Amino acid sequence: MSSENTCRLLLARLIVFSMCEVNDRERNDETCAVDEKTMDTFWELGGMSHFIPAEYGGLGLMNSQAARLGDIVGGSDLAFSIHTGAHQTIGTKGIIMYGTEQQKAKYLPQLSTGKVFGAFALTEPSVGSDASSIKSRAVLSPCGKFYTLNGSKIWISGGGIANIFTTFAQVEMTDPKTGLKKDMITAFIVDRSFPGVSTGPPESKMGLKCSVTTDVYFDDVKVPVENVLGEPGNGFKVAMNILNSGRFGLCAMLTGTMRFCIKSAAEHASTRIQFKRRLEEFENVQEKLAKMAMYHYVSQTLTFMVAGNMDLGSTDFHLEAAITKIFGTEAGWYVCDEAIQILGGNGYMKASGLEQFLRDMRVFRIFEGANDVLRLFVALTGIQFAGNQLKGLQKALKSPLSNMGTLMQAGSKRLFKKIGVGGTDLSPFVADPLKSSAKLCSQSIDQFSETVESLLMKHGKGIVEKQFLLARVADSAIDIYTMACVLSRATRAVRKNLPSAHHEVLMAQAWCTEANHRVQQHILRINGPDFQENYKKFSEIARNVCKNQGVVQSNPLEVD
């Protein structure tokens, strides 16, 4: 490791030490704020500038280093992690990624060491996951020197304390190809000092109480043209890439939270006596602890897989980042909930710390891309790739005599798969104890690919509207990806003869068995006629409930 990286890690450890020694999680939750002393200490140690390059006063951490720091801080105070993390990722990332040299020189030193908060302002009152339909508007002045920005944003993390906003608005532009005018989203850097910028009162929330969340208002704000972030009209891409680049960080925080939850549950299970036996001796408790450990292992693996690939220069990580966010946020909820169950009444009490973590993490499945929407993104992105692969085959089917080679090749692949020859084989890539688990993963891959192919052949472009099916496609893809990742990590542990190797092999084996079974169930739900019919029933039931604004059923107290 270089001396530069060593210094960065030492600084990171100092930040963690300071946070654990100075920060008070319970006080933050009760007062809905982080006290000045804690924030001053964090700023002074560079804790607010993980990703900002050193030349602008930041730590310039690699993604994997930042993930490790997020893991540690997330195990101490999840709300504080978001309070500071929203600034460091989505609040500053846009300027780091798309800022001009002049923009970086002006704003990054402030955001790094100047105790100036940054915020990401995208969501609007009528716009949630459909970011492309924002209503805020910016109009270029006749002189061409500034835009007049009007609009409002809601639920902005850090909105009440931020001075620098990365925000987005529709701008009328001329299409160079057609000459027609149309609205396109443009990103802007907006300073609170600009006349017309204001914020609302802090929201009252279920959790993350010390993270200040407010509305942000832009009323005839004059934004200089030099504050356009990226190219005009390219704002949607800017917004999505900022979110994609930070999604792994949510999972990183929650791996720390999961570690805290598992430690609490293990301590309780190993000391609590019921029916003359320790809780850890009961099989139902053993199953809970084992699954909690596995979910943590998988989440950590996904986090550092994405972060590591980003550090290696990968730019095509959006699908993996979405999967990591979905899996990690749902795993965190599962692990915390099960920890509370193992602790029983003790887990429900504030003294355990678990109830605050549960409140704080609930929104993780909603923000930076709601998991429901990200599932559709995962499914449709994968299907788009499969669709491109099928185009050649579909063309061949239209002219079979002139495309016999393509048809024969496709037909032979299907025939070989049917008789167990020529399918996916991952066994050469894994350690010996994991070869049977790799076979399960390979089986899932082959069955999944056949299912996706049949869906495309049946529905074509109409698959976009088949969200019951797409959700199962996404869940299958997520399970397959997690299997591949843990097989890789456990194999590394075996080949390096790490002390944890045997334990990691056990978790990888158990995980692949469980995940493969889930994939089979997802495929059954996709292909089974009974389930197809049930989806129709779900739709009708939901329409009835919405039509009547609630339940639709007979009174159980009525007597004939």
Side-chain angles (χ1 to χ4, degrees), residues 412-456:
S412 62
K413 284 182 179 179
R414 286 163 177 72
L415 175 61
F416 287 144
K417 284 182 180 180
K418 291 292 185 184
I419 62 175
V421 178
T424 304
D425 183 11
L426 299 178
S427 60
F429 308 104
V430 301
D432 288 343
L434 295 166
K435 291 193 180 297
S436 59
S437 299
K439 186 175 181 180
L440 292 177
C441 184
S442 298
Q443 179 189 57
S444 292
I445 291 171
D446 290 339
Q447 291 177 324
F448 176 69
S449 64
E450 289 180 11
T451 299
V452 169
E453 187 177 304
S454 66
L455 284 175
L456 278 171

Short mmCIF file of all heavy atoms in Angstrom, two decimals, residues 412-456:
data_model
loop_
_atom_site.label_atom_id
_atom_site.label_comp_id
_atom_site.label_asym_id
_atom_site.label_seq_id
_atom_site.Cartn_x
_atom_site.Cartn_y
_atom_site.Cartn_z
N SER A 412 -29.10 -26.11 -31.88
CA SER A 412 -28.20 -27.06 -31.24
C SER A 412 -27.94 -26.66 -29.79
O SER A 412 -27.83 -27.52 -28.91
CB SER A 412 -26.88 -27.14 -32.00
OG SER A 412 -26.22 -25.90 -32.01
N LYS A 413 -27.85 -25.36 -29.53
CA LYS A 413 -27.63 -24.90 -28.15
C LYS A 413 -28.80 -25.33 -27.27
O LYS A 413 -28.61 -25.81 -26.16
CB LYS A 413 -27.48 -23.38 -28.11
CG LYS A 413 -26.13 -22.87 -28.59
CD LYS A 413 -26.06 -21.38 -28.46
CE LYS A 413 -24.69 -20.85 -28.93
NZ LYS A 413 -24.63 -19.36 -28.83
N ARG A 414 -30.03 -25.17 -27.79
CA ARG A 414 -31.19 -25.55 -26.99
C ARG A 414 -31.24 -27.06 -26.79
O ARG A 414 -31.56 -27.54 -25.70
CB ARG A 414 -32.48 -25.08 -27.70
CG ARG A 414 -32.68 -23.59 -27.57
CD ARG A 414 -33.68 -23.05 -28.59
NE ARG A 414 -33.91 -21.64 -28.41
CZ ARG A 414 -33.04 -20.69 -28.72
NH1 ARG A 414 -31.86 -21.02 -29.22
NH2 ARG A 414 -33.32 -19.42 -28.52
N LEU A 415 -30.90 -27.81 -27.82
CA LEU A 415 -30.92 -29.26 -27.71
C LEU A 415 -29.90 -29.74 -26.69
O LEU A 415 -30.20 -30.56 -25.82
CB LEU A 415 -30.62 -29.89 -29.08
CG LEU A 415 -30.50 -31.43 -29.10
CD1 LEU A 415 -31.80 -32.07 -28.65
CD2 LEU A 415 -30.11 -31.92 -30.49
N PHE A 416 -28.69 -29.20 -26.76
CA PHE A 416 -27.64 -29.60 -25.82
C PHE A 416 -28.04 -29.28 -24.37
O PHE A 416 -27.77 -30.05 -23.46
CB PHE A 416 -26.31 -28.93 -26.15
CG PHE A 416 -25.67 -29.49 -27.39
CD1 PHE A 416 -24.97 -28.68 -28.27
CD2 PHE A 416 -25.75 -30.85 -27.68
CE1 PHE A 416 -24.37 -29.20 -29.41
CE2 PHE A 416 -25.15 -31.38 -28.81
CZ PHE A 416 -24.46 -30.55 -29.68
N LYS A 417 -28.67 -28.12 -24.18
CA LYS A 417 -29.09 -27.76 -22.83
C LYS A 417 -30.13 -28.74 -22.31
O LYS A 417 -30.13 -29.11 -21.15
CB LYS A 417 -29.65 -26.33 -22.81
CG LYS A 417 -28.57 -25.25 -22.88
CD LYS A 417 -29.20 -23.87 -22.80
CE LYS A 417 -28.14 -22.78 -22.87
NZ LYS A 417 -28.74 -21.43 -22.81
N LYS A 418 -31.03 -29.14 -23.20
CA LYS A 418 -32.09 -30.06 -22.80
C LYS A 418 -31.53 -31.40 -22.32
O LYS A 418 -32.06 -32.03 -21.42
CB LYS A 418 -33.06 -30.30 -23.95
CG LYS A 418 -33.91 -29.09 -24.33
CD LYS A 418 -34.90 -28.74 -23.24
CE LYS A 418 -35.81 -27.61 -23.68
NZ LYS A 418 -36.73 -27.19 -22.59
N ILE A 419 -30.43 -31.84 -22.92
CA ILE A 419 -29.87 -33.14 -22.55
C ILE A 419 -28.70 -32.98 -21.59
O ILE A 419 -27.96 -33.93 -21.33
CB ILE A 419 -29.43 -33.93 -23.80
CG1 ILE A 419 -28.33 -33.18 -24.55
CG2 ILE A 419 -30.62 -34.21 -24.70
CD1 ILE A 419 -27.78 -33.98 -25.73
N GLY A 420 -28.51 -31.76 -21.07
CA GLY A 420 -27.49 -31.54 -20.05
C GLY A 420 -26.09 -31.34 -20.58
O GLY A 420 -25.11 -31.53 -19.86
N VAL A 421 -25.95 -30.95 -21.83
CA VAL A 421 -24.63 -30.74 -22.41
C VAL A 421 -24.51 -29.29 -22.89
O VAL A 421 -25.45 -28.75 -23.46
CB VAL A 421 -24.39 -31.69 -23.61
CG1 VAL A 421 -23.02 -31.42 -24.23
CG2 VAL A 421 -24.50 -33.15 -23.17
N GLY A 422 -23.36 -28.67 -22.64
CA GLY A 422 -23.11 -27.35 -23.20
C GLY A 422 -23.70 -26.20 -22.44
O GLY A 422 -23.70 -25.07 -22.92
N GLY A 423 -24.23 -26.45 -21.22
CA GLY A 423 -24.76 -25.36 -20.41
C GLY A 423 -23.65 -24.60 -19.71
O GLY A 423 -22.45 -24.83 -19.94
N THR A 424 -24.03 -23.68 -18.87
CA THR A 424 -23.06 -22.90 -18.10
C THR A 424 -22.29 -23.81 -17.16
O THR A 424 -22.87 -24.67 -16.50
CB THR A 424 -23.79 -21.81 -17.29
OG1 THR A 424 -24.55 -21.02 -18.19
CG2 THR A 424 -22.81 -20.94 -16.53
N ASP A 425 -20.99 -23.60 -17.08
CA ASP A 425 -20.15 -24.40 -16.18
C ASP A 425 -19.20 -23.47 -15.43
O ASP A 425 -18.25 -22.95 -15.99
CB ASP A 425 -19.36 -25.44 -16.97
CG ASP A 425 -18.51 -26.35 -16.06
OD1 ASP A 425 -18.73 -26.29 -14.83
OD2 ASP A 425 -17.65 -27.07 -16.57
N LEU A 426 -19.47 -23.25 -14.15
CA LEU A 426 -18.65 -22.37 -13.32
C LEU A 426 -17.62 -23.13 -12.49
O LEU A 426 -16.81 -22.51 -11.80
CB LEU A 426 -19.55 -21.56 -12.37
CG LEU A 426 -20.58 -20.64 -13.03
CD1 LEU A 426 -21.42 -19.95 -11.95
CD2 LEU A 426 -19.91 -19.60 -13.91
N SER A 427 -17.66 -24.46 -12.56
CA SER A 427 -16.79 -25.26 -11.69
C SER A 427 -15.30 -24.96 -11.84
O SER A 427 -14.56 -25.03 -10.85
CB SER A 427 -17.05 -26.75 -11.90
OG SER A 427 -16.79 -27.13 -13.25
N PRO A 428 -14.78 -24.62 -13.04
CA PRO A 428 -13.34 -24.34 -13.13
C PRO A 428 -12.91 -23.10 -12.36
O PRO A 428 -11.71 -22.92 -12.11
CB PRO A 428 -13.12 -24.14 -14.64
CG PRO A 428 -14.27 -24.79 -15.31
CD PRO A 428 -15.42 -24.59 -14.38
N PHE A 429 -13.86 -22.27 -11.98
CA PHE A 429 -13.51 -20.98 -11.36
C PHE A 429 -13.62 -20.98 -9.85
O PHE A 429 -13.34 -19.96 -9.21
CB PHE A 429 -14.40 -19.88 -11.94
CG PHE A 429 -14.41 -19.84 -13.44
CD1 PHE A 429 -15.50 -20.32 -14.16
CD2 PHE A 429 -13.32 -19.35 -14.13
CE1 PHE A 429 -15.51 -20.29 -15.54
CE2 PHE A 429 -13.32 -19.31 -15.52
CZ PHE A 429 -14.41 -19.79 -16.23
N VAL A 430 -14.05 -22.09 -9.26
CA VAL A 430 -14.26 -22.09 -7.80
C VAL A 430 -13.40 -23.15 -7.13
O VAL A 430 -12.93 -24.09 -7.78
CB VAL A 430 -15.75 -22.33 -7.45
CG1 VAL A 430 -16.64 -21.26 -8.07
CG2 VAL A 430 -16.21 -23.72 -7.89
N ALA A 431 -13.22 -22.98 -5.82
CA ALA A 431 -12.46 -23.96 -5.03
C ALA A 431 -13.24 -25.27 -4.94
O ALA A 431 -14.47 -25.29 -5.09
CB ALA A 431 -12.20 -23.40 -3.64
N ASP A 432 -12.54 -26.35 -4.69
CA ASP A 432 -13.15 -27.69 -4.69
C ASP A 432 -14.38 -27.81 -3.78
O ASP A 432 -15.39 -28.40 -4.19
CB ASP A 432 -12.12 -28.74 -4.28
CG ASP A 432 -11.09 -28.98 -5.38
OD1 ASP A 432 -11.37 -28.60 -6.55
OD2 ASP A 432 -10.01 -29.53 -5.09
N PRO A 433 -14.36 -27.26 -2.56
CA PRO A 433 -15.54 -27.44 -1.70
C PRO A 433 -16.79 -26.73 -2.23
O PRO A 433 -17.88 -26.97 -1.71
CB PRO A 433 -15.11 -26.80 -0.37
CG PRO A 433 -13.63 -26.71 -0.42
CD PRO A 433 -13.28 -26.54 -1.85
N LEU A 434 -16.61 -25.90 -3.25
CA LEU A 434 -17.73 -25.10 -3.75
C LEU A 434 -18.22 -25.53 -5.12
O LEU A 434 -19.08 -24.87 -5.70
CB LEU A 434 -17.31 -23.63 -3.79
CG LEU A 434 -17.03 -22.99 -2.43
CD1 LEU A 434 -16.30 -21.67 -2.60
CD2 LEU A 434 -18.31 -22.80 -1.64
N LYS A 435 -17.70 -26.62 -5.63
CA LYS A 435 -18.08 -27.03 -6.99
C LYS A 435 -19.55 -27.41 -7.09
O LYS A 435 -20.22 -27.11 -8.09
CB LYS A 435 -17.18 -28.17 -7.46
CG LYS A 435 -15.74 -27.71 -7.72
CD LYS A 435 -14.93 -28.74 -8.47
CE LYS A 435 -13.50 -28.25 -8.70
NZ LYS A 435 -13.44 -27.04 -9.54
N SER A 436 -20.09 -28.07 -6.08
CA SER A 436 -21.51 -28.43 -6.13
C SER A 436 -22.39 -27.18 -6.04
O SER A 436 -23.45 -27.10 -6.67
CB SER A 436 -21.86 -29.40 -5.00
OG SER A 436 -21.58 -28.82 -3.74
N SER A 437 -21.93 -26.20 -5.28
CA SER A 437 -22.67 -24.93 -5.19
C SER A 437 -22.60 -24.17 -6.52
O SER A 437 -23.58 -23.54 -6.94
CB SER A 437 -22.09 -24.06 -4.07
OG SER A 437 -22.20 -24.72 -2.83
N ALA A 438 -21.44 -24.23 -7.17
CA ALA A 438 -21.30 -23.60 -8.48
C ALA A 438 -22.24 -24.24 -9.49
O ALA A 438 -22.77 -23.55 -10.40
CB ALA A 438 -19.86 -23.70 -8.96
N LYS A 439 -22.46 -25.54 -9.35
CA LYS A 439 -23.38 -26.23 -10.26
C LYS A 439 -24.81 -25.71 -10.08
O LYS A 439 -25.56 -25.55 -11.06
CB LYS A 439 -23.34 -27.73 -10.00
CG LYS A 439 -24.14 -28.55 -10.99
CD LYS A 439 -23.95 -30.04 -10.75
CE LYS A 439 -24.74 -30.86 -11.77
NZ LYS A 439 -24.56 -32.32 -11.55
N LEU A 440 -25.19 -25.40 -8.82
CA LEU A 440 -26.51 -24.84 -8.57
C LEU A 440 -26.65 -23.47 -9.23
O LEU A 440 -27.68 -23.15 -9.81
CB LEU A 440 -26.75 -24.72 -7.07
CG LEU A 440 -26.88 -26.01 -6.28
CD1 LEU A 440 -27.03 -25.71 -4.78
CD2 LEU A 440 -28.05 -26.85 -6.77
N CYS A 441 -25.58 -22.68 -9.12
CA CYS A 441 -25.60 -21.36 -9.74
C CYS A 441 -25.70 -21.49 -11.26
O CYS A 441 -26.47 -20.77 -11.91
CB CYS A 441 -24.34 -20.58 -9.35
SG CYS A 441 -24.29 -18.88 -9.97
N SER A 442 -24.95 -22.41 -11.84
CA SER A 442 -24.99 -22.64 -13.28
C SER A 442 -26.39 -23.07 -13.73
O SER A 442 -26.90 -22.61 -14.76
CB SER A 442 -23.98 -23.72 -13.67
OG SER A 442 -22.66 -23.32 -13.35
N GLN A 443 -26.99 -23.95 -12.95
CA GLN A 443 -28.34 -24.41 -13.26
C GLN A 443 -29.32 -23.23 -13.26
O GLN A 443 -30.17 -23.11 -14.16
CB GLN A 443 -28.77 -25.44 -12.20
CG GLN A 443 -30.18 -25.98 -12.39
CD GLN A 443 -30.60 -26.84 -11.20
OE1 GLN A 443 -30.60 -26.37 -10.06
NE2 GLN A 443 -30.94 -28.09 -11.46
N SER A 444 -29.19 -22.37 -12.27
CA SER A 444 -30.07 -21.19 -12.20
C SER A 444 -29.87 -20.28 -13.40
O SER A 444 -30.83 -19.75 -13.96
CB SER A 444 -29.80 -20.41 -10.90
OG SER A 444 -30.20 -21.14 -9.77
N ILE A 445 -28.62 -20.09 -13.81
CA ILE A 445 -28.32 -19.23 -14.95
C ILE A 445 -28.98 -19.76 -16.21
O ILE A 445 -29.62 -19.02 -16.97
CB ILE A 445 -26.80 -19.11 -15.15
CG1 ILE A 445 -26.17 -18.31 -14.02
CG2 ILE A 445 -26.47 -18.46 -16.50
CD1 ILE A 445 -24.65 -18.33 -14.01
N ASP A 446 -28.85 -21.06 -16.45
CA ASP A 446 -29.41 -21.65 -17.67
C ASP A 446 -30.93 -21.59 -17.68
O ASP A 446 -31.55 -21.24 -18.70
CB ASP A 446 -28.93 -23.09 -17.82
CG ASP A 446 -27.45 -23.18 -18.15
OD1 ASP A 446 -26.90 -22.18 -18.65
OD2 ASP A 446 -26.84 -24.24 -17.90
N GLN A 447 -31.54 -21.92 -16.55
CA GLN A 447 -33.01 -21.88 -16.49
C GLN A 447 -33.52 -20.44 -16.61
O GLN A 447 -34.54 -20.18 -17.26
CB GLN A 447 -33.48 -22.50 -15.17
CG GLN A 447 -33.25 -24.00 -15.09
CD GLN A 447 -33.67 -24.57 -13.76
OE1 GLN A 447 -33.51 -23.94 -12.73
NE2 GLN A 447 -34.20 -25.79 -13.78
N PHE A 448 -32.79 -19.53 -16.00
CA PHE A 448 -33.17 -18.12 -16.07
C PHE A 448 -33.08 -17.60 -17.50
O PHE A 448 -33.98 -16.90 -17.98
CB PHE A 448 -32.25 -17.32 -15.14
CG PHE A 448 -32.46 -15.83 -15.19
CD1 PHE A 448 -33.63 -15.26 -14.69
CD2 PHE A 448 -31.50 -14.99 -15.72
CE1 PHE A 448 -33.83 -13.89 -14.73
CE2 PHE A 448 -31.69 -13.62 -15.75
CZ PHE A 448 -32.87 -13.07 -15.26
N SER A 449 -32.00 -17.94 -18.20
CA SER A 449 -31.84 -17.44 -19.57
C SER A 449 -32.93 -17.98 -20.48
O SER A 449 -33.45 -17.27 -21.35
CB SER A 449 -30.46 -17.82 -20.11
OG SER A 449 -30.31 -19.22 -20.22
N GLU A 450 -33.31 -19.24 -20.30
CA GLU A 450 -34.39 -19.82 -21.10
C GLU A 450 -35.71 -19.11 -20.81
O GLU A 450 -36.51 -18.86 -21.72
CB GLU A 450 -34.52 -21.31 -20.80
CG GLU A 450 -33.37 -22.15 -21.34
CD GLU A 450 -33.54 -23.63 -21.02
OE1 GLU A 450 -34.65 -24.00 -20.55
OE2 GLU A 450 -32.59 -24.39 -21.21
N THR A 451 -35.94 -18.80 -19.53
CA THR A 451 -37.18 -18.13 -19.13
C THR A 451 -37.27 -16.73 -19.73
O THR A 451 -38.31 -16.33 -20.26
CB THR A 451 -37.27 -18.06 -17.59
OG1 THR A 451 -37.27 -19.39 -17.06
CG2 THR A 451 -38.53 -17.33 -17.16
N VAL A 452 -36.17 -15.98 -19.65
CA VAL A 452 -36.16 -14.63 -20.21
C VAL A 452 -36.37 -14.68 -21.72
O VAL A 452 -37.12 -13.88 -22.28
CB VAL A 452 -34.82 -13.92 -19.87
CG1 VAL A 452 -34.67 -12.63 -20.67
CG2 VAL A 452 -34.74 -13.63 -18.38
N GLU A 453 -35.75 -15.63 -22.36
CA GLU A 453 -35.89 -15.77 -23.80
C GLU A 453 -37.34 -16.07 -24.17
O GLU A 453 -37.89 -15.48 -25.12
CB GLU A 453 -34.98 -16.89 -24.30
CG GLU A 453 -34.92 -17.03 -25.80
CD GLU A 453 -33.94 -18.10 -26.24
OE1 GLU A 453 -32.77 -18.02 -25.84
OE2 GLU A 453 -34.37 -19.01 -26.96
N SER A 454 -37.98 -16.95 -23.42
CA SER A 454 -39.38 -17.29 -23.73
C SER A 454 -40.31 -16.11 -23.47
O SER A 454 -41.28 -15.90 -24.20
CB SER A 454 -39.82 -18.50 -22.89
OG SER A 454 -39.86 -18.18 -21.51
N LEU A 455 -40.00 -15.30 -22.44
CA LEU A 455 -40.80 -14.11 -22.18
C LEU A 455 -40.71 -13.12 -23.33
O LEU A 455 -41.71 -12.52 -23.74
CB LEU A 455 -40.34 -13.44 -20.88
CG LEU A 455 -40.77 -14.09 -19.56
CD1 LEU A 455 -40.11 -13.37 -18.39
CD2 LEU A 455 -42.28 -14.08 -19.42
N LEU A 456 -39.50 -12.95 -23.85
CA LEU A 456 -39.31 -12.02 -24.97
C LEU A 456 -40.02 -12.51 -26.23
O LEU A 456 -40.63 -11.73 -26.96
CB LEU A 456 -37.81 -11.85 -25.24
CG LEU A 456 -37.09 -10.84 -24.34
CD1 LEU A 456 -35.59 -10.92 -24.56
CD2 LEU A 456 -37.58 -9.43 -24.62
#
